[in-house]
C-alpha cells in the first residue's frame, strides 16, 4: 500500500509494525532523488500526520540533507551501507552448515543474536519503547514462517554457534540477520554461513545476494568485502519525532 507523492521522487507509506510495537503513529519516507522545493513542501505537510517518521535519503543526496537539517528537528540516526554480490556459480556447502525453511523456534538463535549497532537502541525515544527487543522479535516472528530461511552452524558438541537469516525476492537473496557466537568469533563461521547461503541461492536460480549494515559496524563492512560483496549504496536515515 505504498503511495507515490511524485513519481520517482518520494515513496511514502505507513509503518504498521512500528506503530503497533512502539505505540506511536509511524511512517517512512524514502527520498529517491534530490527533491524540488514543491516536492519537499508537500512531504513536510504529510509529516504532520505522524508522531514518528523515518526519512531515508537515498545515496545521501546533499540537497535533501540540507533541507532536512534546515526545516525539521530530525537527527541522523543511521547511515545504511548496501552491498551486492553477483552469484556466478555453486559453492561446496560446508559440512557443519544446514539450511532450514520454516525453522521451529530455537532459543539458541535468540541467545546468539547480540547486535551492538542498532538505530532502535541509539534513538532514545525508540530505546525507551522497547528498541532493545526489536531484533529478538524479528527472530521470533521469523520462526515457522515459510518465507524465512535459516543457515545454521553447529560445533563439534552439537551446540549452535552461528546463524544467517535470509529470504528471497524475485531472483534476489536478501540477508536479513547474521550472528556468530563470541566463543568462535573470527573462526570462519560467518564465511561458511555466507558460502552455504550463496550455494542455496544459486540452486534457486538467484542472480545476486543483497545485504545492508550500519556505517559504524566496521566488522560487518570488512566481512562483506571479504566474502566478495561490493558496496552499491550509502543512505542516510533521519528520525523525525512529532511528540
Amino acid at each position: 500500500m505504498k503511495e507515490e507523492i511524485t513519481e520517482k521522487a518520494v515513496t511514502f507509506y505507513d509503518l504498521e509494525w512500528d506503530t503497533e510495537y512502539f505505540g506511536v503513529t509511524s511512517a517512512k519516507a524514502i527520498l529517491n532523488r534530490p527533491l524540488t522545493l514543491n516536492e519537499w513542501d508537500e512531504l513536510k505537510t504529510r509529516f504532520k500526520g505522524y508522531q514518528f517518521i523515518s526519512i531515508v535519503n537515498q545515496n545521501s543526496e546533499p540537497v535533501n540533507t540540507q533541507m532536512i537539517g534546515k526545516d525539521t528537528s530530525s537527527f541522523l540516526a543511521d547511515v545504511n551501507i548496501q552491498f551486492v554480490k553477483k552469484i556466478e556459480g555453486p559453492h561446496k556447502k560446508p559440512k557443519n552448515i544446514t539450511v532450514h525453511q520454516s525453522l521451529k523456534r530455537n532459543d539458541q538463535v535468540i541467545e546468539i543474536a547480540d547486535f551492538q549497532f542498532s538505530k532502535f537502541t541509539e534513538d532514545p525515544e525508540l530505546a525507551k519503547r522497547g528498541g532493545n527487543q526489536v531484533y529478538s522479535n524479528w527472530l521470533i516472528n521469523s520462526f515457522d514462517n515459510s518465507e524465512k530461511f535459516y543457515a545454521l552452524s553447529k560445533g563439534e558438541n552439537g551446540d549452535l554457534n552461528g546463524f544467517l537469516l535470509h529470504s528471497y525476492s524475485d531472483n534476489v537473496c536478501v540477508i536479513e540477520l547474521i550472528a556468530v557466537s563470541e566463543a568462535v568469533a573470527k573462526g570462519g563461521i560467518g564465511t561458511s554461513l555466507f558460502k552455504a547461503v550463496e550455494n542455496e541461492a544459486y540452486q534457486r536460480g538467484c542472480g545476486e545476494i543483497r545485504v545492508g549494515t550500519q556505517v559504524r559496524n566496521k566488522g560487518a563492512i570488512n566481512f562483506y568485502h571479504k566474502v566478495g560483496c561490493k558496496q552499491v549504496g550509502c543512505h542516510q536515515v533521519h528520525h523525525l519525532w512529532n511528540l
Side-chain angles (χ1 to χ4, degrees):
M1 47 185 288
K2 294 183 179 180
E3 302 176 42
E4 296 279 342
I5 292 178
T6 303
E7 186 178 1
K8 296 182 180 179
V10 177
T11 305
F12 191 99
Y13 56 95
D14 292 352
L15 292 174
E16 297 177 357
W17 185 91
D18 301 67
T19 297
E20 181 178 355
Y21 183 83
F22 293 114
V24 289
T25 52
S26 305
K28 176 176 283 189
I30 303 175
L31 316 187
N32 299 313
R33 59 164 171 77
L35 305 188
T36 65
L37 289 177
N38 286 338
E39 290 167 347
W40 174 241
D41 286 340
E42 185 177 351
L43 183 59
K44 285 191 297 181
T45 299
R46 297 202 71 170
F47 288 165
K48 297 177 182 179
Y50 297 86
Q51 294 171 293
F52 170 66
I53 307 98
S54 176
I55 308 171
V56 181
N57 182 19
Q58 295 276 71
N59 300 312
S60 303
E61 289 288 351
V63 170
N64 295 336
T65 301
Q66 183 177 13
M67 290 190 294
I68 293 169
K70 179 182 177 182
D71 295 345
T72 75
S73 60
S74 66
F75 65 93
L76 184 62
D78 184 21
V79 177
N80 183 264
I81 307 296
Q82 287 291 316
F83 290 94
V84 167
K85 182 174 184 182
K86 299 294 183 182
I87 301 174
E88 299 177 349
H91 292 275
K92 185 178 180 181
K93 188 171 72 171
K95 295 181 180 180
N96 61 318
I97 308 295
T98 56
V99 179
H100 308 263
Q101 182 180 10
S102 303
L103 182 70
K104 299 295 183 182
R105 175 166 175 149
N106 187 317
D107 289 336
Q108 284 187 316
V109 167
I110 299 173
E111 291 171 6
I112 291 175
D114 181 20
F115 301 104
Q116 299 179 5
F117 301 95
S118 169
K119 62 186 178 182
F120 301 112
T121 55
E122 294 175 355
D123 181 334
E125 290 293 337
L126 293 181
K128 71 183 183 182
R129 291 175 169 82
N132 64 324
Q133 296 297 315
V134 167
Y135 287 118
S136 294
N137 277 271
W138 187 338
L139 292 169
I140 290 170
N141 291 333
S142 72
F143 296 132
D144 291 306
N145 186 335
S146 62
E147 296 182 353
K148 304 295 182 180
F149 297 78
Y150 274 91
L152 301 181
S153 171
K154 292 185 178 182
E156 294 180 358
N157 60 0
D159 288 340
L160 192 70
N161 57 23
F163 73 84
L164 194 159
L165 172 62
H166 55 291
S167 55
Y168 295 94
S169 178
D170 297 326
N171 70 329
V172 175
C173 175
V174 180
I175 293 178
E176 298 187 18
L177 296 172
I178 180 173
V180 174
S181 171
E182 290 186 7
V184 293
K186 298 183 179 180
I189 301 298
T191 300
S192 295
L193 287 165
F194 188 95
K195 293 299 183 184
V197 170
E198 186 174 2
N199 182 67
E200 290 290 324
Y202 174 80
Q203 300 296 338
R204 295 175 65 93
C206 291
E208 63 185 31
I209 294 175
R210 288 186 172 269
V211 63
T213 192
Q214 291 81 11
V215 71
R216 294 201 307 117
N217 194 345
K218 296 179 183 178
I221 291 173
N222 290 335
F223 170 75
Y224 291 124
H225 281 302
K226 176 184 175 183
V227 295
C229 297
K230 293 184 177 181
Q231 182 178 329
V232 294
C234 179
H235 313 309
Q236 297 171 341
V237 181
H238 299 259
H239 285 184
L240 174 62
W241 288 92
N242 296 320
L243 297 175

